[in-house]
């Protein structure tokens, strides 16, 4: 990693959070940052919840699990690297991580009821923000209770920036929704009989919801909220701790993007939200940037043939149409590079003064 901006971030921070749209290369950037930390002598862990297992592929592994896995020094040396520190990686199992949180934090007499509830299954798997929340919860747990010098979080792809920033609030709203709790409070206080009386004596919300969902399901919701109620303060406390760690001077956000116009717009918006939320944004990384090595109009036919001759499997002789096709390909690459540069100039302006780091497109 030759860029001084990212090099300084890796050398000085305890937590790096890589954020951005899906498909821009966050996982690869996250792995590279953690690897650089290990090369600098730090004990580094890169953490992902990517179900496509791109992190394992980036590190040359067949698979990763919910446990922290050390990347062998021999494997790194085989790739021409000489790390002074240690590199670990893990892929979060969302359901298991949620279960571990409940087992650790829930009152002993309520754990089984919570874990067995269908509403808990919704919370731990499908609720908007649940992935982001549990990833941040695990990050904070590792930061406070383990001895890693550097933690790099590869955040899940988000359709909208607010999915990430609002994750703790969405989970808290599900657990402690005041409106639902007030409407169901007689049942929560009186138990099964209270809910039956409420349903029979005029609770419009309850009667309507009961018709739509069935009385048994509504009773189950009341039971679940009652069981989970004592944990609201625990989740609230943890959400505050997450906010403190993310806003710490030892934490840095790296916003990963690409030169695509729509991605630039979304990244600029995300950058604004991060700053408004007082999150420490250290750099914007523009990944897979097209670069023109030469200009088509400056190449003579002989130079094009010489250039093509360097390609693997290229023929020894080229016809005039083949040379022209090569010239068009070089011109197309040059055009793509100019388009990328225009978008990056716009991105740099929108995100100023945050440093913009360019990562060129590499052949697969």
């Amino acid at each position: 990693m030759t860029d001084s901006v990212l090099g300084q971030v890796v050398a000085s921070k305890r937590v790096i959070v890589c954020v951005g749209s899906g498909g821009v290369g966050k996982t690869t950037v996250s792995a590279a940052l953690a690897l650089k930390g290990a090369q600098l002598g730090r004990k580094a862990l890169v953490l992902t919840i990517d179900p496509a297992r791109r992190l394992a592929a980036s590190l040359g592994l067949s698979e990763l699990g919910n446990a922290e896995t050390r990347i062998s020094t021999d494997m790194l040396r085989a790739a021409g690297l000489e790390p002074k520190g240690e590199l670990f990686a893990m892929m979060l199992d969302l359901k298991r991580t949620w279960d571990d949180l409940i087992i650790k934090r829930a009152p002993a007499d309520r754990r089984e009821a919570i874990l067995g509830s269908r509403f808990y299954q919704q919370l731990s798997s499908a609720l908007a923000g649940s992935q982001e929340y549990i990833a941040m919860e695990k990050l904070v747990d590792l930061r406070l209770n383990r001895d890693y010098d550097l933690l790099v979080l590869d955040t899940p792809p988000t359709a909208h920036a607010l999915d990430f920033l609002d994750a703790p609030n969405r989970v808290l709203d599900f657990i402690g929704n005041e409106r639902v709790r007030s409407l169901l409070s007689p049942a929560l206080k009186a138990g099964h009989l209270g809910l039956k009386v409420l349903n029979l004596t005029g609770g419009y919300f309850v009667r309507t919801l009961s018709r739509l969902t069935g009385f048994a399901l509504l009773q189950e919701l009341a039971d679940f909220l009652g069981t989970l109620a004592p944990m609201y303060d625990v989740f609230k406390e943890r959400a505050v701790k997450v906010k403190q760690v993310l806003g710490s001077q030892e934490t840095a956000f790296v916003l990963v993007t690409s030169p695509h116009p729509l991605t630039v717009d979304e990244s600029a918006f995300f950058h604004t939200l991060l700053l408004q939320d007082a999150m420490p944004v250290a750099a914007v990384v523009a990944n897979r940037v097209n670069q023109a090595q030469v200009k088509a109009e400056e190449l003579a036919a002989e130079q094009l043939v010489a250039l093509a001759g360097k390609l693997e499997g290229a023929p020894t002789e080229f016809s005039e149409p083949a040379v022209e096709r090569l010239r068009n390909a070089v011109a197309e690459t040059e055009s793509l590079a100019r388009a990328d540069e225009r978008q990056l100039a716009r991105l740099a302006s929108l995100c100023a003064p945050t440093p913009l780091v360019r990562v060129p497109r590499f052949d697969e």
Side-chain angles (χ1 to χ4, degrees), residues 10 13-14 16 30-47 59 68-71 76 83-90 142 147-152:
V10 169
K13 301 298 182 179
R14 296 289 303 278
I16 300 175
S30 298
L33 292 172
L35 176 58
K36 180 61 177 180
Q39 288 182 290
L40 294 176
R42 311 192 78 186
K43 184 178 180 180
L45 168 69
V46 56
L47 171 68
L59 295 172
E68 299 146 54
T69 301
R70 183 176 180 181
I71 311 303
L76 296 175
K84 300 176 183 178
E86 300 173 276
L87 177 62
F88 294 79
M90 69 180 298
L142 291 167
D147 62 346
Y148 289 104
D149 302 311
L150 175 64
L151 295 166
V152 181

Side-chain angles (χ1 to χ4, degrees), residues 278-331:
M279 296 293 105
V281 185
V284 177
V285 175
N287 198 25
R288 302 168 182 163
V289 178
N290 287 291
Q291 293 186 318
Q293 303 298 326
V294 292
K295 293 184 178 181
E297 65 270 14
E298 297 176 355
L299 291 175
E302 296 79 5
Q303 292 174 303
L304 282 169
V305 171
L307 179 64
K310 297 179 181 180
L311 300 177
E312 183 177 353
T316 56
E317 296 184 2
F318 293 86
S319 64
E320 185 173 336
V323 171
E324 188 59 29
R325 287 197 297 271
L326 285 171
R327 187 186 300 278
N328 292 338
V330 172

Side-chain angles (χ1 to χ4, degrees), residues 181-226:
R181 292 179 64 80
S182 63
L183 288 167
L184 292 179
S185 59
L188 296 178
K189 292 177 181 177
H192 288 247
L193 178 60
L195 184 57
K196 291 178 181 178
V197 172
L198 182 64
N199 190 49
L200 293 172
T201 59
Y204 175 77
F205 170 80
V206 175
R207 286 187 283 111
T208 301
L209 188 59
S210 179
R211 286 197 301 269
L212 293 174
T213 65
F215 180 81
L217 184 62
L218 185 56
Q219 179 65 64
E220 188 178 343
L221 172 60
D223 291 343
F224 176 69
L225 290 175

Side-chain angles (χ1 to χ4, degrees), residues 1 22 36 92 156 235 356:
M1 186 177 301
K36 180 61 177 180
L92 273 184
F235 277 95
L356 175 62

